[in-house]
Amino acid sequence: MTLTFNLNQYNKLLIKYQPKMIKTEEDNEKALAFVEELMHRPQRTPEEDQMYELLITLIEKFEQDYYSPGMRSHPQSMLLFLMEQKEIKPADLVGIIGSQKTVDDIVNGKREISKYQAKTLGVFFQVDSSLFM
């Protein structure tokens, strides 16, 4: 069974959220809250999927422009961001990138991520390892 896109349902979502370019952290928090709500729905409709994708695009644009205008992200910041997004705790990385002490040192910024650890983290998070170098 193919689900069809219902314009009336999508209009209701547009009225509820009223998406626009995100220009402040407050706007970003509101968009993130709505994305979180959509993310946890067990079976999103095609209209909700469309809204979800739109909001993710707006959030990514804001965060890229606001948090790192022309600058490369710090590897530890990227690690913390991905850990938060995927609800990964430091203990979950023990054995993947090293001992508890190694993980704690990396997470707390006391130790840099090695090339080997960056490659391992890239595989673990399914992202390019250069994010951690």
Side-chain angles (χ1 to χ4, degrees), residues 36 40 82-89 92:
E36 185 87 14
H40 289 91
L82 289 169
M83 287 173 66
E84 179 182 340
Q85 293 300 304
K86 297 190 181 263
E87 298 179 359
I88 302 290
K89 295 176 179 38
D92 299 329

Side-chain angles (χ1 to χ4, degrees), residues 53-116:
E53 289 179 32
L54 172 62
L55 291 175
I56 292 294
T57 301
L58 293 172
I59 290 166
E60 286 175 347
K61 167 115 176 66
F62 169 77
E63 290 183 352
Q64 182 180 23
D65 293 347
Y66 187 82
Y67 293 115
S68 59
M71 295 180 63
R72 199 174 141 230
S73 260
H74 187 272
Q76 185 222 16
S77 299
M78 184 55 63
L79 175 61
L80 293 174
F81 172 77
L82 289 169
M83 287 173 66
E84 179 182 340
Q85 293 300 304
K86 297 190 181 263
E87 298 179 359
I88 302 290
K89 295 176 179 38
D92 299 329
L93 297 176
V94 173
I96 294 170
I97 60 169
S99 67
Q100 182 69 51
K101 178 165 177 27
T102 299
V103 171
D104 288 343
D105 286 350
I106 289 172
V107 168
N108 293 319
K110 295 179 183 176
R111 176 184 271 182
E112 290 189 22
I113 299 170
S114 72
K115 286 182 183 180
Y116 173 78

Side-chain angles (χ1 to χ4, degrees), residues 1-56:
M1 180 173 113
T2 303
L3 296 177
T4 58
F5 191 85
N6 183 319
L7 204 50
N8 288 331
Q9 288 298 98
Y10 189 62
N11 284 337
K12 288 179 186 178
L13 283 172
L14 289 171
I15 290 168
K16 180 178 180 181
Y17 181 72
Q18 299 180 4
K20 61 184 188 285
M21 292 302 294
I22 299 172
K23 298 192 188 268
T24 67
E25 286 189 73
E26 183 181 339
D27 290 344
N28 194 46
E29 289 300 319
K30 287 177 185 174
L32 285 168
F34 198 63
V35 162
E36 185 87 14
E37 179 185 325
L38 290 171
M39 188 179 353
H40 289 91
R41 290 196 182 159
Q43 295 178 329
R44 285 193 307 257
T45 65
E47 300 80 22
E48 290 169 334
D49 280 338
Q50 186 71 33
M51 177 62 77
Y52 179 81
E53 289 179 32
L54 172 62
L55 291 175
I56 292 294

